[in-house]
Amino acid sequence: MRILVTGSTGQLGSTLVKQLKGSDYKVKITSRRKPEGLGHFEWVYSDLSSGEGLEVAVKDVDVIIHAATSPIKNSKMVEVLAFKEFLGKMKHIKHFIYPSIVGIDEIPFKYYKHKYEAEELLNKCSIPHTIVRATQFHNFVENLFISKPLFKRYIVPGNFKFQSVDVSEFASHLISLMEKDPQGRADDFGGPDIMTLKEMAELKIKKNKESNKVLSISFPGKLYKSISEGKNTNSFRKMGKISFGEYLSNKIV
Ligand SMILES: NC(=O)c1ccc[n+]([C@@H]2O[C@H](COP(=O)([O-])OP(=O)(O)OC[C@H]3O[C@@H](n4cnc5c(N)ncnc54)[C@H](OP(=O)(O)O)[C@@H]3O)[C@@H](O)[C@H]2O)c1
């Protein structure tokens, strides 16, 4: 089976590639930047926005794990318009695996709207596929909200709820899905615990023995409300085993 991993320089893509190293699969990888230290894989330059390199990337491939994404820049183009063009090049693909995000249909955020539109495009096309929604990755939550204190305070929307999951566990799950038949929409993949951002920040302070404090702030609006209500979580799908605390501990070692 020949596999293409898109977004090979990203959080998920690079983790997938590490896990596929040494496997019996023939692995091709693609992104705009060339990943370092992956000389044993065939790398192809491709840009979803311009379409450059995509024909070469998908040539002779059976399965695609699509980890390329652009949440901030050109989101509509990369997630939807160019994605539609990309799907047009996949008549020969036996299984297209699309990582998505829990709650994208309930949370009013532009990137999530675009991901939902991409899911709809997949549902309407004839390409055998699996859409699997995950909760936020541990490192994503940490980097976005609690990477650096300001004046000895982590200033966070403390009521936000996350069920963060370790990216390595989600990557393994995606690889296991390749061995199965395409499922359409698969079950969600969530982390082991649902925590508020305040609790996550406090845990980081405790684990790292920091003297910082948490300053919890709130905002008006539907986006704040939906994440505070945990629309980005799925308490029935606590699939990951590595907790946020363990993720932090592993970083300290
Ligand atoms: N992060 C999370 O917490 C989370 C949670 C659940 C699901 N997901 C989903 O998992 C997937 C991967 O997310 P991630 O966090 O790993 O993303 P990421 O770290 O931002 O990586 C994005 C990848 O996409 C590539 N890329 C960006 N623009 C491109 C373009 N125009 N053409 C080709 N490649 C492009 C980037 O590489 P170059 O810049 O080198 O091209 C990079 O390799 C996404 O579908 C995301 O929605 C993420």
Side-chain angles (χ1 to χ4, degrees):
M1 186 155 60
R2 186 144 183 174
I3 300 157
L4 173 71
V5 177
T6 71
S8 53
T9 50
Q11 280 185 70
L12 178 62
S14 60
T15 310
L16 282 163
V17 171
K18 267 185 224 143
Q19 293 187 4
L20 287 165
K21 192 175 168 185
S23 72
D24 292 336
Y25 300 115
K26 288 185 183 147
V27 183
K28 218 185 204 189
I29 61 178
T30 187
S31 46
R32 292 168 304 174
R33 289 165 295 149
K34 187 171 185 177
E36 284 177 18
L38 295 175
H40 44 286
F41 290 123
E42 178 188 351
W43 172 78
V44 176
Y45 171 91
S46 73
D47 183 349
L48 280 158
S49 304
S50 66
E52 194 183 342
L54 292 177
E55 302 271 0
V56 182
V58 300
K59 192 167 182 279
D60 301 328
V61 163
D62 305 302
V63 174
I64 298 178
I65 306 184
H66 186 52
T69 194
S70 185
I72 309 292
K73 206 174 157 204
N74 294 335
S75 167
K76 176 84 182 181
M77 171 57 89
V78 174
E79 307 304 324
V80 187
L81 305 174
F83 183 67
K84 192 174 177 185
E85 296 290 316
F86 189 35
L87 292 181
K89 301 182 193 309
M90 283 182 208
K91 303 280 182 277
H92 61 294
I93 295 300
K94 298 189 180 81
H95 195 171
F96 183 85
I97 299 179
Y98 183 75
S100 193
I101 304 175
V102 171
I104 52 167
D105 43 349
E106 294 191 81
I107 299 168
F109 181 51
K110 204 163 71 171
Y111 171 60
Y112 287 4
K113 178 175 174 283
H114 297 154
K115 288 211 55 108
Y116 188 59
E117 287 176 39
E119 285 191 0
E120 299 269 88
L121 286 173
L122 266 174
N123 287 329
K124 283 185 200 137
C125 77
S126 58
I127 300 158
H129 64 267
T130 300
I131 297 168
V132 55
R133 294 181 179 179
T135 52
Q136 282 70 35
F137 305 150
H138 295 315
N139 51 348
F140 171 81
V141 179
E142 188 192 9
N143 292 342
L144 190 62
F145 295 105
I146 45 178
S147 62
K148 280 198 181 79
L150 188 67
F151 304 118
K152 306 285 282 173
R153 297 275 184 284
Y154 288 103
I155 304 168
V156 295
N159 289 335
F160 270 16
K161 288 197 182 79
F162 289 104
Q163 185 184 351
S164 60
V165 69
D166 202 85
V167 64
S168 65
E169 293 184 300
F170 185 49
S172 309
H173 181 59
L174 295 180
I175 291 170
S176 74
L177 287 173
M178 291 192 320
E179 296 291 345
K180 298 185 177 148
D181 289 336
Q183 298 179 32
R185 169 87 187 273
D187 285 332
D188 293 350
F189 194 88
D193 308 301
I194 299 177
M195 298 174 78
T196 64
L197 195 51
K198 181 169 184 286
E199 288 167 338
M200 293 172 96
E202 284 169 349
L203 188 58
K204 177 170 176 171
I205 289 168
K206 193 172 163 205
K207 287 264 174 202
N208 291 351
K209 299 187 176 58
E210 298 173 23
S211 59
N212 298 306
K213 301 266 183 268
V214 181
L215 175 61
S216 187
I217 50 172
S218 57
F219 299 97
K222 289 182 184 160
L223 177 61
Y224 179 84
K225 187 168 180 282
S226 58
I227 302 183
S228 299
E229 286 172 355
K231 300 284 190 209
N232 53 327
T233 64
N234 183 341
S235 58
F236 300 105
R237 298 287 305 163
K238 293 183 172 174
M239 305 308 292
K241 302 269 180 285
I242 301 171
S243 67
F244 184 64
E246 282 165 315
Y247 153 80
L248 292 172
S249 302
N250 291 340
K251 279 182 71 179
I252 298 165
V253 175

